[in-house]
Amino acid sequence: MTGQTERLHGERAIRSIVIAGGGTAGWMAAAMLARRLEKQPVQITVIESSTIGTVGVGEATVPGIRDFFRELGVTEREVMAATKGTAKLGIEFVDWKRTGHSFFHPFGLYGMRSRGVAFHHYWQKLRSAGDPVELADYCLATVMAKHNLFMLPTDRPVHDLLFFDWAVHFDAGLFAQFLAARAVAGGVRRVDATITNVRINGETGLVDGVDTACGKAIDGDLFIDCTGFRSLLLGAALGSGYEDWSNLLPCDRAVAIPCERAGPLTPFTRSTAFAQGWQWRIPLQHRVGNGLVYASRHLSDDAAIDTLRSRLEGAPLAEPNLIRFRTGHRRDFWRGNCIGLGLAAGFMEPLESTSITLIQTGIEKLLALFPDRDFDPALASEYNRSTTLEYERIRDFLLLHYWANDRRGEPMWDQCRDTALPEALAHKLRLFRANGSLVRYEWESFHDPSWLSMYAGFDIAARSHDRAADYFSVQDLQSALARMRESIGKAVALAEPHDAFLRTYGVG
Ligand SMILES: Cc1cc2nc3c(=O)[nH]c(=O)nc-3n(C[C@H](O)[C@H](O)[C@H](O)COP(=O)(O)OP(=O)(O)OC[C@H]3O[C@@H](n4cnc5c(N)ncnc54)[C@H](O)[C@@H]3O)c2cc1C
């Protein structure tokens, strides 16, 4: 018996879980809990309100989502076929450094290590010697993306040059339906009702149950708040305060309009900066998801809608969906017998597609720390500690995108360059600048290659490289690195145009 199973069988075991909200967060939680608590005497109920609806965005992911699929017992192929999904090799950042400049953040590695020295030191040594080749040219994922190509990574790459990872873009509504069907088939009870009241036990401070507009009262042992920005249980009823990061990240609004696609199906998300924010482009099989993320201090909602409309590549497929948000998170993600997931827990703009991954890791952490009805505060405390770190690490990565800009003369971007950086980020930058050292903190979602892509993309250079890289002469390195580019070229030749890949794969 695993520890989790023992706890479930114990006298004080959780017997009923109520998930409030049926958006991406609610159904991800329901589907995964139903799967992992299969054959346990636990009733899972999802309460969703068809009169309120979901946020209706959230279509780009990071590679970790594929672990979620695997844990759920579904394949990428099944998910992509059900959600009109496409493959994602990374994000193209256009005009972020300055207008006319672009770079790519790939899900893949750069070059090959040698003699224990990371590749970027060798590249840095050549750059210092005047070699013009970009770091991007040593990454298979980036080169494929540049040519609109895709293939599945090999299971056992013979060397680092062949290693890359991938994520998916999907239709959020279809994804929720896909998960709901699995959850319901796995025994989850689905209730369409609007919650009007959250009942808190005066003695214990725990949530006893919720009341709904149709007069139904639903009680439970464990509550998962997935009610979106409303945060009905965790925020409104239990009073978990909000850690507001608006002072660090300037944007507080978004407007989304899907449109018809013009041009080839790209295997990546695009993020294009403009004077008051940035625009996302997420290619799906049947449409393109577009949105502006902007600072309301610098751009009105009407102007944002007009701007987005004027930038659509094809006919709009829906009315504008305007969304206001406050960057930050609930101080306690878990309080008593209630855990917040998704927008109910916090929100950071979708610049690196991190919200769905935070839902996923939230579910994993909850399962790892799964409580019984005594709700030992140590469990909540660990969940809150690790989740706070995870949010802060992502915030810092996003912040770097804004802070490193060179868009001079635009008030929003000028202010961003002056932002005082949190110490953990400032330390990371100091280390890199000193000699190209990379540091990875606990609960950091983005690994070394992601940071390198930002440093190279924004021209943040190290003052020197690892001296161990001097083992090789410039000439030797030039030929070795040319061979690496050749190997990448050969690998790329095996990839297909993205739309052809989707057809061959059987999802398009
Ligand atoms: C502009 C924008 C772009 C985004 N892009 C991305 C992206 O590319 N990648 C990514 O990973 N994430 C992205 N996200 C985040 C992503 O959309 C969310 O993390 C995800 O959709 C989860 O939302 P949710 O389920 O928490 O909330 P919602 O979708 O808002 O669902 C809330 C649910 O709660 C229910 N509910 C609310 N009140 C009540 C009530 N009183 N009674 C009963 N039910 C109720 C609703 O009916 C609904 O079912 C984006 C977010 C925004 C705002």
Side-chain angles (χ1 to χ4, degrees), residues 147-174:
H147 298 287
N148 252 341
L149 300 171
F150 188 75
M151 62 184 164
L152 294 175
T154 84
D155 284 344
R156 288 194 192 82
V158 285
H159 49 64
D160 285 355
L161 292 176
L162 299 183
F163 179 88
F164 67 93
D165 214 341
W166 62 291
V168 297
H169 303 115
F170 51 53
D171 179 317
L174 294 177

Side-chain angles (χ1 to χ4, degrees), residues 20-26 47-49 52-61 193-195 226-230 232 254 280 282 323 341-344 347 350 353-357 359:
T24 305
I47 310 170
E48 60 186 343
S49 168
I52 292 178
T54 63
V55 73
V57 283
E59 313 205 305
T61 65
T194 301
I195 297 167
C226 299
T227 57
F229 287 127
R230 289 176 178 79
L232 278 185
W280 80 74
I282 300 176
I323 299 157
L341 286 177
L343 303 173
F347 182 65
S353 323
T354 42
S355 290
I356 293 170
T357 195
I359 298 170

Side-chain angles (χ1 to χ4, degrees), residues 15 63 396:
R15 297 154 311 186
D396 287 358

Side-chain angles (χ1 to χ4, degrees), residues 216-484:
K216 198 183 278 185
I218 299 172
D219 290 354
D221 295 329
L222 176 68
F223 288 80
I224 305 186
D225 187 348
C226 299
T227 57
F229 287 127
R230 289 176 178 79
S231 196
L232 278 185
L233 285 74
L234 185 64
L238 289 170
S240 176
Y242 201 77
E243 186 70 34
D244 189 327
W245 286 334
S246 313
N247 58 327
L248 291 170
L249 290 163
C251 295
D252 58 355
R253 299 274 164 94
V255 58
I257 309 178
C259 76
E260 285 175 1
R261 177 160 52 85
L265 194 59
T266 49
F268 53 86
T269 305
R270 180 175 294 130
S271 164
T272 307
F274 68 100
Q276 302 89 4
W278 61 276
Q279 177 178 353
W280 80 74
R281 178 187 185 276
I282 300 176
L284 300 177
Q285 291 177 32
H286 57 315
R287 59 173 164 78
V288 174
N290 309 281
L292 287 193
V293 175
Y294 58 99
S296 63
R297 260 188 307 157
H298 298 282
L299 189 70
S300 72
D301 295 341
D302 287 345
I305 292 170
D306 289 347
T307 306
L308 181 57
R309 280 205 173 110
S310 71
R311 289 165 158 243
L312 295 179
E313 67 191 61
L317 296 172
E319 288 303 308
N321 175 9
L322 189 69
I323 299 157
R324 290 160 196 221
F325 60 84
R326 193 150 63 108
T327 301
H329 66 86
R330 293 277 149 207
R331 294 222 169 85
D332 286 343
F333 297 93
W334 177 339
R335 190 172 269 199
N337 62 340
C338 177
I339 290 109
L341 286 177
L343 303 173
F347 182 65
M348 286 176 275
E349 58 181 79
L351 186 51
E352 288 282 354
S353 323
T354 42
S355 290
I356 293 170
T357 195
L358 283 168
I359 298 170
Q360 181 183 345
T361 54
I363 298 167
E364 278 162 17
K365 277 183 282 192
L366 169 59
L367 280 162
L369 296 166
F370 205 77
D372 61 21
R373 280 183 286 136
D374 290 330
F375 295 101
D376 189 323
L379 302 171
S381 165
E382 174 54 18
Y383 185 97
N384 291 332
R385 182 194 76 84
S386 52
T387 309
T388 302
L389 279 179
E390 202 179 357
Y391 268 70
E392 286 175 357
R393 304 299 183 226
I394 291 175
R395 175 204 64 195
D396 287 358
F397 190 55
L398 303 188
L399 180 49
L400 177 63
H401 298 56
Y402 282 94
W403 174 84
N405 87 83
D406 200 17
R407 297 180 60 104
R408 293 186 185 261
E410 293 172 328
M412 187 193 93
W413 295 99
D414 288 345
Q415 281 165 23
C416 288
R417 282 194 307 281
D418 289 339
T419 307
L421 298 182
E423 178 50 26
L425 175 58
H427 178 66
K428 219 178 224 294
L429 282 164
R430 280 194 299 270
L431 276 175
F432 182 74
R433 282 192 162 128
N435 64 356
S437 289
L438 299 167
V439 59
R440 173 135 190 241
Y441 297 133
E442 187 194 6
W443 285 106
E444 200 156 35
S445 309
F446 291 97
H447 300 195
D448 291 354
S450 296
W451 289 88
L452 282 173
S453 73
M454 289 297 133
Y455 296 151
F458 283 109
D459 283 334
I460 297 172
R463 279 191 294 278
S464 72
H465 53 264
D466 183 338
R467 286 298 157 209
D470 291 335
Y471 178 84
F472 297 108
S473 69
V474 166
Q475 289 73 19
D476 287 349
L477 278 181
Q478 273 173 330
S479 12
L481 269 62
R483 283 197 299 278
M484 288 186 199

Side-chain angles (χ1 to χ4, degrees), residues 59-91:
E59 313 205 305
T61 65
V62 294
I65 191 72
R66 292 176 33 246
D67 296 333
F68 181 82
F69 300 161
R70 218 173 0 260
E71 287 286 323
L72 206 57
V74 298
T75 61
E76 291 95 356
R77 192 183 265 120
E78 283 173 279
V79 178
M80 289 167 80
T83 61
K84 307 253 182 233
T86 60
K88 173 178 172 186
L89 286 165
I91 306 177

